[in-house]
């Protein structure tokens, strides 16, 4: 069914993390409920249905009731990540320009990607990134098209220097079919300038495949990532060939399970640079980092409604701690992103991460050194549930921060005695400490890792922390907010009643969008004449119009009415002589005159001076535009955050539950326990206190308090 055929009903948005699958169920009036289930990586459709059912239960409905009335379901999972990390993708064959057969194993200066600081300092012990294609399945083909250059050259960009050797293509494809490849990729050196050789090779390959009665798809790099930097481009092509189709199969299973319950549209997922697409999107590799994107998209929405335009996001789940930035209401995008130790030609939301989460394994080695993560218990939680090793959650249970009888609202019972015994045996005894002091010491180290990441993320980019709000979310975010926010210097600390499913909320907020990039080289020296500027404008304008045509064609195939599509435009530019270009969003998308080119360079200067001091400008060098892009956006229903009337500072008696002893700062303290759903806008909860919710726990130490604003967002601050 077409995307736009249903415009009323529920919205479902799910974030399937390594530990939990979170659901936001948005009703037609914009309000929403939250659901949760343990993620089943072997059968994601079952945890999808369970999580949807949990959210539906708060409305007195079943998952079938909801699916039959749902207009859009968005599912952000970890399928592609798991495929890449576990090495379980397709058997890929690759045709490349002759002489570049080793491109899939050339790492250049990138051997450090994904390595810890200790591994980098002992580089002789490093492990090379595992290639995504067997070297025997990489075959060179004679061809060459001239690429662009800054200098005067005998050959013009796009000129054929060596014609495609069609016979070599035929023989190469026959060899790959004998090697039982499941997909064939084609990556010729300068295909981003002119794809004719790649497209001809694809035509030949498909003919040979048909003659052999095989079913092997063929993918060209010009179709996947028509941009310069062939090393990054080939990684994008390989991600599409190696992992995307397998991931699509997993997503189809989720889609089919929803459709069996009455869902009438296509399942959607999130792009790595923000925005939603259907799972039938041709460049599915662009969804490789779909999981954490929702949090930043949601933070952008929070920035919009609260007026707090600068937000540093802190997403603490079961396996990792991810930090991102929203600056002036905009999400930061990295052009050449690193993922699973590969660098791709893919715009990706900028995130910094450490492999420490609530499910991270805690151990002490033979040298009495403590280690936290990166190994994680995932959905098995820890010793207190189904995992054989001690985790951070075990320590939270042992010290009293987390109620073992109220995990997932009591659906899962945790064993505090097993957690205590594990803490004693695996940390306290090896270090010669009291069991509770040992637990507190582990949390101190854990919080320090996170604080350091927050500080580095802000200060390495030259930002003043006091100008930022720290937004804490993820299932374990509110539990540890008190620890990792201390000493960061941020101006405000905030969490939300639905913090545990905030990434799913962000997925629901995501726009329906496609992005199209095209590399080119347009030089704008300082002394350029008006006539030369006009010719440059024609080149840029032509590239934008071409990308618009592709966008309309692809989105129309997905059921989008072309008249509903709006476009955003941008370029990547640099000073001539610089190595890297800078993303420059524009407020216009047509350039025809010399004045229009001046508007482009002014926009670049504006971006550049936000990143570097005014004194770093060098307009005298002239400008180089190296890439253009178009973002096509279609309307999509989104949730609404409701605004409430402020009530009294004192919470209602119905919000109070009990008291609980918690080991905090070296002693046992009596914490009052409150129910999240009973707190109202305007209420203030003073520490020592705990606010419990079926999805998470908010810890408020002595001397601190939490105040609920008009949106029922929780502001963590010094007691007043």
């Amino acid at each position: 069914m077409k995307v736009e055929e249903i415009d009323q009903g529920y919205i479902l948005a799910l974030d399937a993390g390594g530990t939990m699958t979170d659901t936001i169920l948005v009703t037609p009036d914009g309000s929403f409920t939250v659901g949760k289930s343990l993620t089943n990586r072997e059968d994601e459709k079952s945890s999808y249905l369970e999580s949807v059912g949990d959210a539906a239960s708060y409305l007195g409905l079943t998952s079938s009731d909801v699916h039959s009335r749902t207009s859009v379901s968005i599912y952000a999972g970890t399928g592609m990540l798991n495929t890449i990390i576990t090495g379980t993708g397709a058997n890929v064959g690759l045709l490349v320009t002759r002489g570049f057969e080793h491109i899939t194993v050339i790492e250049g200066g990138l051997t450090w990607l994904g390595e810890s600081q200790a591994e980098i300092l002992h580089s002789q012990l490093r492990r090379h990134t595992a290639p995504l294609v067997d070297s025997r399945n990489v075959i060179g083909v004679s061809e060459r098209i001239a690429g662009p250059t800054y200098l005067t050259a005998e050959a013009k960009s796009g000129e054929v220097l060596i014609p495609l050797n069609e016979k070599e293509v035929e023989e190469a494809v026959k060899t790959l079919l004998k090697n039982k490849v499941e997909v064939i990729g084609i990556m010729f050196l300068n295909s981003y300038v002119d794809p004719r050789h790649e497209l001809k090779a694809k035509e030949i390959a498909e003919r040979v495949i048909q003659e052999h009665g095989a079913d092997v798809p063929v993918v060209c790099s010009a179709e996947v990532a028509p941009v310069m930097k062939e090393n990054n481009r080939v990684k994008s092509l390989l991600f599409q060939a190696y992992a995307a189709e397998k991931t699509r199969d997993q997503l189809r299973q989720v889609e089919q399970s929803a459709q069996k319950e009455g869902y009438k549209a296509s399942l959607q997922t999130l792009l790595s640079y923000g925005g939603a697409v259907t799972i039938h999107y041709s460049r599915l590799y662009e969804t490789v980092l779909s999981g954490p994107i929702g949090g930043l998209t949601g933070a952008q929405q929070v920035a919009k409604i609260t007026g707090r335009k600068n937000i540093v996001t802190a997403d603490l789940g079961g396996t990792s701690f991810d930090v991102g930035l929203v600056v002036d209401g905009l999400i930061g995008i990295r052009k050449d992103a690193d993922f699973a130790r590969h660098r791709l030609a893919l715009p990706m939301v900028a995130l910094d991460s450490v492999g420490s989460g609530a499910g991270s394994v805690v151990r002490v080695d033979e040298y009495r050194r403590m280690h936290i993560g990166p190994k994680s218990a995932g959905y098995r939680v820890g010793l207190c549930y189904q995992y054989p090793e001690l985790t951070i959650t075990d320590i939270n249970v042992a010290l009293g921060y987390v109620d073992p009888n109220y995990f997932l609202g009591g659906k899962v019972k945790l064993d505090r005695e097993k957690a205590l015994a594990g803490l004693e045996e695996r940390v306290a005894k090896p270090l010669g400490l009291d069991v509770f002091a040992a637990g507190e010491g582990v949390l101190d180290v854990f919080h320090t890792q996170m604080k350091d990441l927050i500080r580095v993320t802000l200060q390495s980019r030259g930002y003043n922390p006091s100008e930022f709000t720290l937004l804490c979310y993820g299932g374990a975010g509110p539990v540890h907010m008190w620890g990792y926010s201390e000493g960061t210097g941020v101006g405000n600390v905030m969490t939300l009643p639905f913090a545990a499913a905030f990434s799913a909320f962000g997925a629901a907020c995501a726009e329906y969008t496609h992005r199209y990039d095209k590399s080119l080289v347009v030089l704008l020296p300082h002394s350029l004449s008006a006539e030369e500027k006009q010719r440059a404008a024609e080149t840029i304008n032509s590239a934008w119009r071409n990308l618009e045509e592709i966008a309309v064609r692809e989105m129309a195939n997905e059921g989008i009415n072309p008249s509903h599509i709006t476009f955003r435009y941008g370029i990547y530019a640099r000073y001539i002589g610089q190595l890297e270009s800078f993303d420059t969003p524009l407020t216009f998308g047509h350039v025809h005159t010399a004045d229009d080119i001046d508007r482009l360079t002014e926009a670049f200067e504006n971006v550049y001076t936000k990143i570097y001091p005014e004194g770093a400008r060098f307009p005298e060098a002239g400008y180089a535009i190296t890439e253009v892009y178009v973002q096509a956006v279609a309307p999509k229903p989104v949730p609404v955050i409701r605004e409430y009337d402020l009530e009294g500072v004192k919470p209602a008696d119905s919000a109070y539950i009990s008291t609980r002893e918690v080991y905090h700062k070296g002693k046992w303290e009596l914490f009052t326990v409150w129910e999240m759903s009973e707190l109202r806008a305007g209420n203030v909860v003073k520490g020592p206190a705990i606010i419990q919710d079926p999805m998470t726990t908010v810890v408020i130490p002595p001397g601190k308090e939490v105040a609920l604003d008009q949106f029922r967002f929780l502001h963590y601050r010094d007691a007043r």
Side-chain angles (χ1 to χ4, degrees):
M1 181 166 285
K2 292 183 178 181
V3 170
E4 293 188 348
E5 285 187 10
I6 304 176
D7 57 8
Q8 297 295 326
Y10 295 121
I11 304 168
L12 283 171
L14 291 93
D15 173 35
T19 304
M20 297 288 183
T21 295
D22 306 324
T23 296
I24 289 284
L25 167 57
V26 187
T27 60
D29 66 359
S31 61
F32 51 87
T33 61
V34 177
K36 222 167 178 64
S37 71
L38 295 170
T39 298
N40 186 338
R41 289 198 176 174
E42 288 73 37
D43 184 16
E44 291 191 26
K45 64 181 184 294
S46 66
S47 44
Y48 166 88
L49 291 175
E50 185 180 340
S51 186
V52 171
D54 185 45
S57 67
Y58 293 97
L59 300 177
L61 303 172
T62 66
S63 60
S64 296
D65 296 331
V66 167
H67 278 122
S68 63
R69 297 162 59 186
T70 291
S71 59
V72 59
S73 180
I74 306 171
Y75 183 78
T78 56
M80 204 172 308
L81 168 65
N82 296 336
T83 299
I84 297 293
I85 290 175
T86 58
T88 54
N91 182 21
V92 178
L94 184 65
L95 303 185
V96 298
T97 301
R98 184 173 295 283
F100 287 80
E101 290 85 351
H102 297 294
I103 192 169
T104 61
V105 294
I106 293 174
E107 294 177 291
L110 302 182
T111 56
W112 50 267
L113 287 180
E115 299 284 8
S116 68
Q117 181 67 17
E119 289 166 327
I120 292 170
L121 292 174
H122 300 87
S123 57
Q124 71 273 20
L125 303 177
R126 76 185 186 281
R127 294 167 289 110
H128 289 271
T129 305
L132 300 175
V133 56
D134 189 322
S135 60
R136 292 170 293 186
N137 290 338
V138 182
I139 301 177
V141 172
S142 298
E143 73 82 37
R144 183 61 70 91
I145 289 176
T149 175
Y150 284 157
L151 307 174
T152 303
E154 293 182 10
K156 292 183 180 179
S157 179
E159 181 180 339
V160 175
L161 302 178
I162 301 174
L164 176 68
N165 190 319
E166 298 183 11
K167 185 65 176 174
E168 289 182 6
V169 174
E170 286 186 22
E171 294 304 315
V173 173
K174 289 176 184 177
T175 299
L176 293 175
L177 292 177
K178 286 179 185 176
N179 292 350
K180 296 184 169 25
V181 300
E182 298 168 278
V183 59
I184 293 175
I186 304 173
M187 203 290 297
F188 293 154
L189 188 62
N190 290 317
S191 62
Y192 70 93
V193 174
D194 188 331
R196 75 181 95 165
H197 282 179
E198 277 194 2
L199 297 176
K200 183 62 178 177
K202 179 178 181 178
E203 179 187 318
I204 295 167
E206 289 178 334
R207 174 174 55 78
V208 173
I209 290 166
Q210 186 177 15
E211 289 170 355
H212 283 71
D215 181 17
V216 177
V218 182
V219 187
C220 294
S221 76
E223 298 168 328
V224 170
V227 295
M228 59 178 66
K229 294 186 178 180
E230 62 274 7
N231 291 73
N232 299 357
R233 183 166 21 117
V234 77
K235 288 295 179 77
S236 290
L237 174 63
L238 288 173
F239 266 51
Q240 178 69 29
Y242 181 81
E245 292 310 315
K246 179 171 181 177
T247 302
R248 199 190 308 275
D249 288 341
Q250 294 169 339
L251 292 172
R252 276 201 196 100
Q253 292 178 26
V254 174
E255 180 183 71
Q256 288 165 3
S257 69
Q259 290 173 342
K260 283 179 182 176
E261 293 202 337
Y263 179 54
K264 299 179 181 66
S266 294
L267 186 71
Q268 295 183 16
T269 189
L270 291 186
L271 293 160
S272 297
Y273 46 83
V277 292
T278 74
I279 65 168
H280 310 288
Y281 181 55
S282 59
R283 295 183 299 281
L284 194 66
Y285 89 97
E286 292 182 356
T287 69
V288 66
L289 194 67
S290 66
I293 301 307
L296 277 164
T297 308
Q300 195 173 30
Q301 187 76 355
V302 169
K304 183 177 178 181
I305 69 167
T306 63
R308 297 177 183 273
K309 293 186 177 181
N310 296 329
I311 293 178
V312 52
T313 63
D315 180 1
L316 180 59
T319 56
S320 67
F321 180 66
D322 304 317
V323 175
L325 295 176
V326 175
V327 181
D328 265 346
L330 299 176
I331 298 173
I333 301 291
R334 297 172 57 198
K335 182 66 183 73
D336 299 320
D338 305 333
F339 186 83
R341 303 190 68 203
H342 300 272
R343 178 160 286 175
L344 308 176
L346 169 67
M348 190 177 285
V349 167
L351 281 171
D352 296 320
S353 301
V354 289
S356 295
S360 292
V361 170
V362 179
R363 64 182 181 87
V364 175
D365 64 22
E366 62 269 31
Y367 304 109
R368 301 178 77 236
R369 295 179 303 186
M370 186 168 62
H371 302 268
I372 301 174
K375 189 177 178 182
S376 173
Y379 70 90
R380 292 190 287 168
V381 184
L383 285 168
C384 58
Y385 188 47
Q386 295 178 350
Y387 198 67
E389 298 184 63
L390 183 74
T391 67
I392 293 294
T393 297
D394 287 316
I395 293 168
N396 282 324
V397 170
L399 299 188
Y401 291 114
V402 170
D403 184 349
N405 297 314
Y406 200 68
F407 195 72
L408 286 185
K411 293 177 183 176
V412 172
K413 303 293 184 183
L414 305 180
D415 189 332
R416 182 171 183 263
E417 293 307 313
K418 283 186 72 174
L420 262 174
L423 178 58
E424 172 82 36
E425 185 65 30
R426 303 180 190 215
V427 178
K429 281 185 179 177
L431 296 179
L433 296 172
D434 168 76
V435 62
F436 299 108
E440 186 173 60
V442 171
L443 293 187
D444 284 345
V445 173
F446 183 58
H447 293 152
T448 298
Q449 289 179 345
M450 294 184 281
K451 278 190 281 192
D452 288 347
L453 183 62
I454 293 168
R455 283 196 290 255
V456 167
T457 298
L458 287 167
Q459 293 172 5
S460 65
R461 291 165 173 81
Y463 294 124
N464 180 353
S466 66
E467 297 175 358
F468 282 77
T469 292
L470 178 63
L471 181 60
C472 309
Y473 57 91
V479 183
H480 294 275
M481 177 173 64
W482 67 271
Y484 65 72
S485 64
E486 186 178 346
T488 56
V490 294
N492 184 41
V493 180
M494 188 167 72
T495 188
L496 317 101
F498 51 97
F502 186 68
S503 290
F505 166 80
C509 293
E511 298 174 314
Y512 190 89
T513 182
H514 291 194
R515 174 172 165 144
Y516 301 85
D517 293 71
K518 174 71 176 174
S519 280
L520 44 76
V521 175
V522 176
L523 298 181
L524 306 171
H526 189 58
S527 57
L528 210 63
S529 68
E531 185 180 346
E532 289 170 320
K533 285 183 179 180
Q534 187 164 346
R535 283 201 297 270
E538 289 168 0
T539 300
I540 295 166
N541 212 50
S542 174
W544 273 336
R545 302 293 80 79
N546 177 253
L547 294 178
E548 284 176 357
E549 289 173 11
I550 297 171
V552 169
R553 184 171 63 248
E554 287 193 358
M555 294 178 82
N557 289 338
E558 295 173 10
I560 299 294
N561 185 331
S563 66
H564 294 170
I565 299 172
T566 57
F567 295 101
R568 298 175 190 147
Y569 304 87
I571 60 173
Y572 279 85
R574 64 179 79 163
Y575 292 122
I576 292 176
Q578 285 186 312
L579 294 176
E580 296 297 332
S581 296
F582 297 86
D583 183 0
T584 305
L586 302 170
T587 56
F588 54 94
H590 291 78
V591 288
H592 299 287
T593 66
D595 288 342
D596 291 334
I597 289 295
D598 290 339
R599 290 172 69 197
L600 282 181
T601 56
E602 285 171 15
F604 164 74
E605 290 283 2
N606 204 19
V607 167
Y608 195 80
T609 51
K610 285 184 178 178
I611 301 170
Y612 298 108
E614 182 77 20
R617 292 178 60 245
F618 191 19
E620 295 80 9
Y623 307 92
I625 296 171
T626 58
E627 194 170 315
V628 299
Y629 64 86
V630 166
Q631 194 170 355
V633 182
K636 178 183 116 349
V638 297
V640 174
I641 294 180
R642 182 180 166 189
E643 192 167 352
Y644 300 86
D645 292 331
L646 293 176
E647 299 185 18
V649 171
K650 185 178 183 299
D653 292 342
S654 60
Y656 174 79
I657 297 174
S658 63
T659 59
R660 183 163 82 239
E661 282 199 326
V662 176
Y663 190 86
H664 182 80
K665 297 288 186 182
K667 62 180 180 179
W668 290 98
E669 295 263 9
L670 197 62
F671 279 55
T672 56
V673 182
W674 304 83
E675 180 61 48
M676 179 82 77
S677 61
E678 294 295 321
L679 296 176
R680 300 290 176 257
N683 288 175
V684 175
V685 177
K686 293 187 177 294
I690 283 172
I691 303 173
Q692 74 173 24
D693 182 83
M695 309 298 168
T696 191
T697 298
V698 182
V699 176
I700 311 166
K704 299 289 185 177
E705 66 183 24
V706 159
L708 281 73
D709 66 13
Q710 68 269 35
F711 305 106
R712 291 188 69 239
F713 295 166
L714 288 77
H715 296 263
Y716 176 78
R717 66 195 189 193
D718 291 333
R720 298 178 181 178

